[in-house]
Amino acid sequence: MVENVVETDTVPQGPRPRRAFSRTNIMLYGTLIVVALYYLLPLYVMIVTSLKGMPEIRLGNIFSPPLEVTFEPWVKAWSTACTGINCDGLSRGFWNSVRILVPSVFLSIAIASINGYALARWRFKGSELFFSILIVGAFIPYQTMLYPLVIILREIGLMGSLWGLVLVHTVFGMPILTLLFRNYFTAIPEDLHKAARVDGAGFWGIYFRIMLPMSLPIFVVAMILQVTGIWNDFLFGVIYTKPDTYPMTVQLNNIVNSVQGIKEYNVNMAATLLTAAVPLLLYFVSGKLFVRGIAAGAVKG
Amino acid sequence: MPTDAKRPLRIFNNLSAKIASIPMILTVLVVFVGGTAWTVVHSFTKSKLLPKLNFVGLDQYERLWSTRRWLVSIENLALYGLLSLVFTLIIGFFLAALLDRKIRGEAVFRTIFLYPFALSFIVTGLAWQWILNPDLGVQQVVRDLGWASFELNPLNNPDTVMYGILVAGLWQGTGLIMVIMLAGLRGIDEDIWKAARVDGIGTAKTYLKIIIPMMRPVFVTALVLIASGIIKLYDLVVALTNGGPGLSSEVPAKYVINYMFRAQNLGQGFAASTMMLVSVAIILIPWAYLEFGGRKRG
């Protein structure tokens, strides 16, 4: 973060700086701080709520810090909160999500990067047409493809299993990832590719020995994009899995919005934070790369 | 263009590329084209529990457009979409403009404004559901301060529920647009600002009359991005209200899921999802024509 500050300070951008305590400056920073507090508010409320006991929540103020810090809600959310008849907490959903996430991220990136590479350097008749349809396909509402995929998954025996969902994530991640890799590989000088060809390298040789080592940043960007997207997915999880294999978001919603029982807001907020932890951590750690990932995702689609 | 135009091993090499493209070709042909066509064709049938090719013409569409739940869904999405579009653009640009004023701690503010975007709609919805809780949330806090008649309970009132969802949606999504706008502002030549100052044009006027018109492509990107997000609106509603109170926060995506997977009336679900496809096409085709009509793609 310090790095960013230095960088933006050295690149002269926007209007000329003003005196430190001018009226405009006070208004400027005042606005920024108020808006920043507003954006932080939900996170703050979730954290303090998750650390309070239920009696304190009922009597107290949603904004007040906990008088007595308790981690019991976190323990309960993780290991004993109930969804329907299962009372083994969110840990089940967490591990399901991990088991969906790892192969999905690996598979979707492997396929899309090789695909983008073929589209950038080894075009064949019709490759551009397929690519165009792929990009247009990114705009088709998922709802029109949901049921055909149910049939496909049922036919190949993956309906309701984690691998079925992995396949779905790979399919729907393909447009944006292929676009990302195709654009990146196209920007790598073609002479390099030609030189490797002269030296006798083929399709896979160039991919593994030249393109892959040169493209680590784009792989990281793609990974951030996919981890966040797949972890946060709800729609596909709710349709293509069954209670035993529900990903974390689906289980979280079932825990918090269940109609039976007394509402335990502290447990609910702890569960919500547990679900948010993975993408949040990734966001704060990756910083600029995350921004690059979403900016790349935003370019066309 | 093909780099291997005159290579001796062309067929073999292209074979590798073709093999590598099989997943893409399958996805495009089977899921995107095939799946969409399949759904559209089956929207003209009276499939109930299982998809069957027993055609009934436009019956499903007639029923769809006379179902109150669908009309409410469309109305809600229109209201949410319009407000979300306007406010996301305004707030996103406003925040980007603030951050572009050569401020200290820009990275900190940017990190704070963008972090909600890393969260899922489910998490966003549950957090705001708690904040807007009428008994223990903000409403109660303000009442405890002495303002006994204070009302902030949008989620339990059919007239205001969509605004409650909007507040949560804006909180989650404005950071993304801010980042895109900021990149656009950074792309504007410093000389423009100098010229405007020399001519004695005020800051606000410079933004409105010079900078914003120059950022047209950025606004178009933002617009497409927001619009494609709006049509998907589903998880946020499920987490915040699950369509309630009554039908007052139903949305089309939820209608489709409900008829396909809960009410076991596939034909209705297919017809509704075809309508979603049509509305996306109505928005996207003119845009694609304007953007790419003149020049070649790729």
Side-chain angles (χ1 to χ4, degrees), chain A residues 94-144:
Chain A
F94 176 85
W95 291 115
N96 281 342
S97 273
V98 171
R99 265 179 288 179
I100 293 160
L101 184 76
V102 175
S104 301
V105 170
F106 179 80
L107 200 65
S108 62
I109 292 180
I111 288 176
S113 65
I114 295 167
N115 203 356
Y117 161 68
L119 288 166
R121 288 281 174 259
W122 301 84
R123 288 180 200 172
F124 53 90
K125 208 168 174 229
S127 65
E128 285 299 281
L129 176 71
F130 282 118
F131 177 67
S132 302
I133 305 177
L134 188 73
I135 299 305
V136 172
F139 289 102
I140 303 175
Y142 294 139
Q143 278 73 17
T144 57

Side-chain angles (χ1 to χ4, degrees), chain B residues 4-69:
Chain B
D4 51 343
K6 279 170 196 161
R7 307 267 168 212
L9 289 173
R10 189 174 175 212
I11 297 162
F12 174 75
N13 286 332
N14 267 345
L15 199 65
S16 288
K18 280 170 191 162
I19 291 170
S21 303
I22 286 174
M24 171 179 79
I25 294 170
L26 280 179
T27 298
V28 164
L29 291 181
V30 178
V31 182
F32 288 6
V33 176
T36 304
W38 189 95
T39 301
V40 173
V41 167
H42 280 81
S43 73
F44 299 108
T45 70
K46 57 173 191 208
S47 307
K48 284 279 181 195
L49 178 61
L50 290 168
K52 284 195 190 104
L53 280 173
N54 40 5
F55 290 100
V56 288
L58 290 170
D59 279 13
Q60 294 291 0
Y61 292 92
E62 269 168 39
R63 224 191 107 195
L64 182 70
W65 286 101
S66 56
T67 305
R68 201 175 91 82
R69 181 164 174 181

Side-chain angles (χ1 to χ4, degrees), chain A residues 258-280:
Chain A
S258 85
V259 273
Q260 318 109 321
I262 321 151
K263 290 244 175 195
E264 290 181 290
Y265 297 106
N266 49 359
V267 176
N268 290 350
M269 286 303 113
T272 309
L273 283 170
L274 281 170
T275 311
V278 169
L280 263 191

Side-chain angles (χ1 to χ4, degrees), chain A residues 173-245:
Chain A
M174 207 180 282
I176 178 61
L177 289 180
T178 304
L179 178 74
L180 198 71
F181 281 108
R182 173 185 173 272
N183 289 354
Y184 192 87
F185 291 140
T186 309
I188 290 178
E190 206 177 332
D191 292 341
L192 215 67
H193 179 81
K194 283 183 183 156
R197 292 296 310 274
V198 171
D199 288 344
F203 183 90
W204 299 105
I206 297 178
Y207 174 77
F208 281 109
R209 291 212 222 117
I210 296 172
M211 293 304 200
L212 204 64
M214 282 185 73
S215 316
L216 284 179
I218 202 70
F219 275 91
V220 175
V221 166
M223 231 168 79
I224 294 170
L225 204 68
Q226 283 300 85
V227 171
T228 319
I230 293 168
W231 192 272
N232 286 345
D233 162 69
F234 176 78
L235 177 64
F236 299 140
V238 89
I239 287 172
Y240 297 112
T241 57
K242 47 186 193 289
D244 275 348
T245 47

Side-chain angles (χ1 to χ4, degrees), chain B:
Chain B
M1 278 301 100
T3 56
D4 51 343
K6 279 170 196 161
R7 307 267 168 212
L9 289 173
R10 189 174 175 212
I11 297 162
F12 174 75
N13 286 332
N14 267 345
L15 199 65
S16 288
K18 280 170 191 162
I19 291 170
S21 303
I22 286 174
M24 171 179 79
I25 294 170
L26 280 179
T27 298
V28 164
L29 291 181
V30 178
V31 182
F32 288 6
V33 176
T36 304
W38 189 95
T39 301
V40 173
V41 167
H42 280 81
S43 73
F44 299 108
T45 70
K46 57 173 191 208
S47 307
K48 284 279 181 195
L49 178 61
L50 290 168
K52 284 195 190 104
L53 280 173
N54 40 5
F55 290 100
V56 288
L58 290 170
D59 279 13
Q60 294 291 0
Y61 292 92
E62 269 168 39
R63 224 191 107 195
L64 182 70
W65 286 101
S66 56
T67 305
R68 201 175 91 82
R69 181 164 174 181
W70 175 254
L71 298 174
V72 170
S73 301
I74 293 284
E75 218 174 278
N76 282 340
L77 192 70
L79 176 76
Y80 178 90
L82 186 72
L83 293 176
S84 160
L85 209 60
V86 170
F87 281 106
T88 311
L89 284 177
I90 292 175
I91 297 170
F93 182 80
F94 178 70
L95 292 179
L98 287 181
L99 288 185
D100 197 39
R101 304 300 295 174
K102 285 219 71 182
I103 55 151
R104 274 168 209 283
E106 186 206 310
V108 176
F109 285 117
R110 182 162 34 78
T111 305
I112 293 172
F113 297 154
L114 187 59
Y115 90 88
F117 188 71
L119 303 176
S120 63
F121 283 120
I122 297 295
V123 168
T124 304
L126 298 179
W128 280 94
Q129 189 193 54
W130 171 231
I131 291 170
L132 296 174
N133 183 309
D135 301 321
L136 299 163
V138 173
Q139 174 172 283
Q140 196 53 42
V141 171
V142 176
R143 282 183 183 175
D144 287 345
L145 289 174
W147 184 357
S149 62
F150 178 78
E151 281 243 17
L152 185 75
N153 187 12
L155 298 180
N156 292 311
N157 179 345
D159 296 328
T160 54
V161 63
M162 288 316 290
Y163 301 100
I165 294 171
L166 181 72
V167 167
L170 288 176
W171 176 78
Q172 203 263 357
T174 40
L176 169 71
I177 301 305
M178 175 206 72
V179 168
I180 289 165
M181 296 279 185
L182 190 59
L185 284 172
R186 292 282 149 86
I188 283 173
D189 201 328
E190 179 77 357
D191 290 345
I192 303 282
W193 279 104
K194 284 183 193 150
R197 201 169 301 117
V198 170
D199 287 347
I201 305 172
T203 309
K205 208 175 168 192
T206 310
Y207 273 121
L208 283 177
K209 299 267 163 148
I210 302 169
I211 305 294
I212 291 180
M214 282 179 76
M215 279 172 61
R216 189 189 156 274
V218 180
F219 272 88
V220 171
T221 306
L223 210 74
V224 172
L225 212 64
I226 303 168
S228 61
I230 288 168
I231 196 112
K232 287 184 189 148
L233 179 66
Y234 171 70
D235 328 13
L236 189 61
V237 174
V238 170
L240 266 170
T241 64
N242 204 17
L247 295 177
S248 54
S249 61
E250 289 288 341
V251 285
K254 196 163 170 292
Y255 186 94
V256 171
I257 309 284
N258 193 70
Y259 275 91
M260 273 190 204
F261 299 101
R262 310 268 181 276
Q264 296 177 331
N265 188 344
L266 287 173
Q268 266 299 291
F270 295 148
S273 59
T274 304
M275 285 319 303
M276 287 178 73
L277 179 69
V278 169
S279 50
V280 169
I282 289 172
I283 297 167
L284 273 179
I285 288 172
W287 167 74
Y289 186 77
L290 284 174
E291 286 295 301
F292 305 113
R295 57 200 158 89
K296 278 204 161 171
R297 289 196 61 183

